[in-house]
Amino acid sequence: MDENPVVVVGAGPVGLAAAAEVLERGLEPLVLEAGSEAGSAVREWSHVRLFSQWSELIDPAAARLLERQGWQGPDPAAYPSGAEWVERYLRPLAAALGERVRFGARVMGVARRGRDRVVDAGRTSEPLTVHFETAGGEQRITASAVIDASGTWRSPNPLGGDGLPAVGERAARDRISYQVPDVSDAQVRARFAGKRIAVAGSGHSALTALVAFAGLAEEAPGTEIVWVLRRGRSGDVFGGGEADQLPERGALGQRAEQAVDAGHVRTVTGFRTAAVEADGDGRLVLTSFEGHKSEPVDEVVVLTGFRPDLSWLSEVRLGLDPVLQAPTALAPLIDPNVHSCGTVYPHGAKELAHPEPGVFVVGMKSYGRAPTFLAMTGYEQVRSVAAAIAGDTESAERVELVLPETGVCGGAGLFDEPEVEQGGGCCAAPQQTVELAAPGAAER
């Protein structure tokens, strides 16, 4: 089994870091990437500028591998865009790993050789098998361990407030998008300019979209932004501001708050979407589970987070929290029902281990449905996992990372009551159009 490679699924930032960490341990990694290039998911949000500095976006083992090949790192204090992250780091790292990275290889399943998940015998002696597809057809290889770093980008959460697509959401998909639009692109700009846009979500992606659309509203008359929040109070959604130890993350929240204060954004709170339907003019109207209706909108941008695709791991034994779908030992540290700090204690192989020997889910996917993941967290995860696979228990259990504080810790609160006494909540009678807060009067 030691002669089999450590298979890493995904050639994004955490997957390539995992390969570099495994290689530095003297083991042979094999990265399987469904896309055509390193960081193919990052490429889809290449226009977004990260709120982490370069110093926080480069894995130490990856940097050592690159530097041996003459790579010159970027300014550690600069903040790259997604495109720059790909071009200046991920593509060179994939090139340094060479033939250990296979593009156009979509993993279809992982299992124990000759055994389904029910069979106990041989689970510690037989290697894992990885089934994947390429342009040349189906293939199966054996692996000494599997590190799933495939992320969650392809599995966005729906608009529906109960976790399922709202009634009519699929039918309206031509006017619903699930990523931050690049309004600098002429075609995208034409789609949104002069339109009334509903933005659903309260995380950093939603804040980024609000700031982008507010800029568009200043330049394109008639552009209106309606911010739809599931929470009954907007509370601390703008983040920690100057108290955030990631300054650009705090600044993002401040820019979004300024956009609301300037009247570019109208806020509606306590609205959990149940249905999407077209009105007589062909615009979309959102209806909540309480029967409240939004004003008609032209476009909806859904930025409500992501969830893991666990379907191709169905034949291995995973230990997952029933709520978050994260590893059972990790879930209590990241459960947003328990705390909203957005800060997680560093963790590694011990918290990420599953009942199936040699299987690890890392990166954003390890968080299940929990938000607020940092690249630094993923790099510490794969450092520890690589050490565990190599048999270095002492290093695997050692914590080598201090994470920045968000500056916000408001207690639990994924669900609370609307602020009915003020003008921004959804408190109209059922089946009536909800009156949104007037520009400049949105709740904070």
PDB file of all heavy atoms in Angstrom, residues 41-54:
ATOM      1  N   ALA A  41     -11.950  26.928 -10.104  1.00  0.00           N
ATOM      2  CA  ALA A  41     -13.058  27.574  -9.392  1.00  0.00           C
ATOM      3  C   ALA A  41     -12.712  29.021  -9.055  1.00  0.00           C
ATOM      4  O   ALA A  41     -13.546  29.925  -9.192  1.00  0.00           O
ATOM      5  CB  ALA A  41     -13.397  26.798  -8.125  1.00  0.00           C
ATOM      6  N   VAL A  42     -11.475  29.254  -8.607  1.00  0.00           N
ATOM      7  CA  VAL A  42     -11.041  30.623  -8.306  1.00  0.00           C
ATOM      8  C   VAL A  42     -11.153  31.494  -9.554  1.00  0.00           C
ATOM      9  O   VAL A  42     -11.541  32.662  -9.486  1.00  0.00           O
ATOM     10  CB  VAL A  42      -9.594  30.634  -7.776  1.00  0.00           C
ATOM     11  CG1 VAL A  42      -9.120  32.064  -7.523  1.00  0.00           C
ATOM     12  CG2 VAL A  42      -9.492  29.817  -6.500  1.00  0.00           C
ATOM     13  N   ARG A  43     -10.854  30.912 -10.703  1.00  0.00           N
ATOM     14  CA  ARG A  43     -10.929  31.656 -11.958  1.00  0.00           C
ATOM     15  C   ARG A  43     -12.328  32.218 -12.189  1.00  0.00           C
ATOM     16  O   ARG A  43     -12.497  33.273 -12.805  1.00  0.00           O
ATOM     17  CB  ARG A  43     -10.525  30.745 -13.109  1.00  0.00           C
ATOM     18  CG  ARG A  43     -10.529  31.402 -14.468  1.00  0.00           C
ATOM     19  CD  ARG A  43      -9.432  32.428 -14.617  1.00  0.00           C
ATOM     20  NE  ARG A  43      -8.128  31.811 -14.762  1.00  0.00           N
ATOM     21  CZ  ARG A  43      -6.993  32.505 -14.865  1.00  0.00           C
ATOM     22  NH1 ARG A  43      -7.018  33.836 -14.784  1.00  0.00           N
ATOM     23  NH2 ARG A  43      -5.836  31.893 -14.990  1.00  0.00           N
ATOM     24  N   GLU A  44     -13.346  31.549 -11.683  1.00  0.00           N
ATOM     25  CA  GLU A  44     -14.719  32.000 -11.902  1.00  0.00           C
ATOM     26  C   GLU A  44     -15.079  33.213 -11.053  1.00  0.00           C
ATOM     27  O   GLU A  44     -16.096  33.857 -11.309  1.00  0.00           O
ATOM     28  CB  GLU A  44     -15.694  30.849 -11.654  1.00  0.00           C
ATOM     29  CG  GLU A  44     -15.539  29.717 -12.673  1.00  0.00           C
ATOM     30  CD  GLU A  44     -16.615  28.673 -12.533  1.00  0.00           C
ATOM     31  OE1 GLU A  44     -17.710  28.995 -12.042  1.00  0.00           O
ATOM     32  OE2 GLU A  44     -16.357  27.511 -12.924  1.00  0.00           O
ATOM     33  N   TRP A  45     -14.295  33.498 -10.022  1.00  0.00           N
ATOM     34  CA  TRP A  45     -14.481  34.757  -9.304  1.00  0.00           C
ATOM     35  C   TRP A  45     -13.185  35.563  -9.323  1.00  0.00           C
ATOM     36  O   TRP A  45     -12.816  36.231  -8.372  1.00  0.00           O
ATOM     37  CB  TRP A  45     -14.970  34.528  -7.866  1.00  0.00           C
ATOM     38  CG  TRP A  45     -14.232  33.520  -7.037  1.00  0.00           C
ATOM     39  CD1 TRP A  45     -14.493  32.206  -6.891  1.00  0.00           C
ATOM     40  CD2 TRP A  45     -13.070  33.783  -6.210  1.00  0.00           C
ATOM     41  NE1 TRP A  45     -13.589  31.618  -6.030  1.00  0.00           N
ATOM     42  CE2 TRP A  45     -12.718  32.555  -5.590  1.00  0.00           C
ATOM     43  CE3 TRP A  45     -12.325  34.923  -5.916  1.00  0.00           C
ATOM     44  CZ2 TRP A  45     -11.633  32.441  -4.724  1.00  0.00           C
ATOM     45  CZ3 TRP A  45     -11.246  34.820  -5.051  1.00  0.00           C
ATOM     46  CH2 TRP A  45     -10.916  33.587  -4.467  1.00  0.00           C
ATOM     47  N   SER A  46     -12.539  35.548 -10.483  1.00  0.00           N
ATOM     48  CA  SER A  46     -11.220  36.172 -10.620  1.00  0.00           C
ATOM     49  C   SER A  46     -11.245  37.680 -10.413  1.00  0.00           C
ATOM     50  O   SER A  46     -10.216  38.286 -10.094  1.00  0.00           O
ATOM     51  CB  SER A  46     -10.644  35.857 -12.004  1.00  0.00           C
ATOM     52  OG  SER A  46     -11.501  36.336 -13.028  1.00  0.00           O
ATOM     53  N   HIS A  47     -12.417  38.318 -10.574  1.00  0.00           N
ATOM     54  CA  HIS A  47     -12.519  39.768 -10.424  1.00  0.00           C
ATOM     55  C   HIS A  47     -12.576  40.211  -8.974  1.00  0.00           C
ATOM     56  O   HIS A  47     -12.417  41.398  -8.679  1.00  0.00           O
ATOM     57  CB  HIS A  47     -13.774  40.264 -11.144  1.00  0.00           C
ATOM     58  CG  HIS A  47     -15.033  39.618 -10.639  1.00  0.00           C
ATOM     59  ND1 HIS A  47     -15.326  38.299 -10.881  1.00  0.00           N
ATOM     60  CD2 HIS A  47     -16.066  40.103  -9.900  1.00  0.00           C
ATOM     61  CE1 HIS A  47     -16.494  37.996 -10.337  1.00  0.00           C
ATOM     62  NE2 HIS A  47     -16.948  39.057  -9.729  1.00  0.00           N
ATOM     63  N   VAL A  48     -12.793  39.275  -8.055  1.00  0.00           N
ATOM     64  CA  VAL A  48     -12.941  39.614  -6.639  1.00  0.00           C
ATOM     65  C   VAL A  48     -11.571  39.733  -5.986  1.00  0.00           C
ATOM     66  O   VAL A  48     -10.711  38.869  -6.171  1.00  0.00           O
ATOM     67  CB  VAL A  48     -13.784  38.549  -5.910  1.00  0.00           C
ATOM     68  CG1 VAL A  48     -13.864  38.851  -4.421  1.00  0.00           C
ATOM     69  CG2 VAL A  48     -15.183  38.477  -6.518  1.00  0.00           C
ATOM     70  N   ARG A  49     -11.386  40.804  -5.215  1.00  0.00           N
ATOM     71  CA  ARG A  49     -10.123  40.968  -4.485  1.00  0.00           C
ATOM     72  C   ARG A  49     -10.245  40.325  -3.110  1.00  0.00           C
ATOM     73  O   ARG A  49     -11.229  40.530  -2.408  1.00  0.00           O
ATOM     74  CB  ARG A  49      -9.749  42.448  -4.358  1.00  0.00           C
ATOM     75  CG  ARG A  49      -8.339  42.681  -3.813  1.00  0.00           C
ATOM     76  CD  ARG A  49      -7.858  44.079  -4.134  1.00  0.00           C
ATOM     77  NE  ARG A  49      -7.785  44.317  -5.573  1.00  0.00           N
ATOM     78  CZ  ARG A  49      -6.784  43.921  -6.361  1.00  0.00           C
ATOM     79  NH1 ARG A  49      -5.749  43.273  -5.842  1.00  0.00           N
ATOM     80  NH2 ARG A  49      -6.810  44.167  -7.649  1.00  0.00           N
ATOM     81  N   LEU A  50      -9.250  39.529  -2.755  1.00  0.00           N
ATOM     82  CA  LEU A  50      -9.290  38.831  -1.469  1.00  0.00           C
ATOM     83  C   LEU A  50      -9.018  39.793  -0.321  1.00  0.00           C
ATOM     84  O   LEU A  50      -8.349  40.818  -0.499  1.00  0.00           O
ATOM     85  CB  LEU A  50      -8.259  37.702  -1.451  1.00  0.00           C
ATOM     86  CG  LEU A  50      -8.601  36.477  -2.315  1.00  0.00           C
ATOM     87  CD1 LEU A  50      -8.115  36.640  -3.737  1.00  0.00           C
ATOM     88  CD2 LEU A  50      -8.003  35.214  -1.710  1.00  0.00           C
ATOM     89  N   PHE A  51      -9.526  39.461   0.865  1.00  0.00           N
ATOM     90  CA  PHE A  51      -9.230  40.293   2.028  1.00  0.00           C
ATOM     91  C   PHE A  51      -8.078  39.707   2.849  1.00  0.00           C
ATOM     92  O   PHE A  51      -7.788  40.201   3.935  1.00  0.00           O
ATOM     93  CB  PHE A  51     -10.459  40.532   2.904  1.00  0.00           C
ATOM     94  CG  PHE A  51     -11.249  39.311   3.280  1.00  0.00           C
ATOM     95  CD1 PHE A  51     -10.709  38.335   4.090  1.00  0.00           C
ATOM     96  CD2 PHE A  51     -12.545  39.154   2.823  1.00  0.00           C
ATOM     97  CE1 PHE A  51     -11.436  37.226   4.450  1.00  0.00           C
ATOM     98  CE2 PHE A  51     -13.289  38.044   3.185  1.00  0.00           C
ATOM     99  CZ  PHE A  51     -12.730  37.080   4.000  1.00  0.00           C
ATOM    100  N   SER A  52      -7.426  38.677   2.323  1.00  0.00           N
ATOM    101  CA  SER A  52      -6.202  38.154   2.934  1.00  0.00           C
ATOM    102  C   SER A  52      -5.000  38.631   2.133  1.00  0.00           C
ATOM    103  O   SER A  52      -5.052  38.721   0.899  1.00  0.00           O
ATOM    104  CB  SER A  52      -6.231  36.623   2.961  1.00  0.00           C
ATOM    105  OG  SER A  52      -7.251  36.139   3.801  1.00  0.00           O
ATOM    106  N   GLN A  53      -3.911  38.914   2.819  1.00  0.00           N
ATOM    107  CA  GLN A  53      -2.673  39.310   2.149  1.00  0.00           C
ATOM    108  C   GLN A  53      -2.011  38.090   1.521  1.00  0.00           C
ATOM    109  O   GLN A  53      -2.287  36.941   1.866  1.00  0.00           O
ATOM    110  CB  GLN A  53      -1.715  39.943   3.151  1.00  0.00           C
ATOM    111  CG  GLN A  53      -2.206  41.221   3.795  1.00  0.00           C
ATOM    112  CD  GLN A  53      -1.218  41.759   4.811  1.00  0.00           C
ATOM    113  OE1 GLN A  53      -0.463  41.010   5.427  1.00  0.00           O
ATOM    114  NE2 GLN A  53      -1.207  43.069   4.990  1.00  0.00           N
ATOM    115  N   TRP A  54      -1.073  38.370   0.609  1.00  0.00           N
ATOM    116  CA  TRP A  54      -0.314  37.276  -0.005  1.00  0.00           C
ATOM    117  C   TRP A  54       0.349  36.400   1.058  1.00  0.00           C
ATOM    118  O   TRP A  54       0.428  35.179   0.902  1.00  0.00           O
ATOM    119  CB  TRP A  54       0.755  37.845  -0.932  1.00  0.00           C
ATOM    120  CG  TRP A  54       0.321  38.047  -2.356  1.00  0.00           C
ATOM    121  CD1 TRP A  54       0.227  39.237  -3.026  1.00  0.00           C
ATOM    122  CD2 TRP A  54      -0.052  37.029  -3.294  1.00  0.00           C
ATOM    123  NE1 TRP A  54      -0.190  39.028  -4.309  1.00  0.00           N
ATOM    124  CE2 TRP A  54      -0.361  37.689  -4.504  1.00  0.00           C
ATOM    125  CE3 TRP A  54      -0.163  35.641  -3.233  1.00  0.00           C
ATOM    126  CZ2 TRP A  54      -0.767  36.992  -5.651  1.00  0.00           C
ATOM    127  CZ3 TRP A  54      -0.565  34.950  -4.371  1.00  0.00           C
ATOM    128  CH2 TRP A  54      -0.866  35.612  -5.547  1.00  0.00           C
TER     129      TRP A  54
END
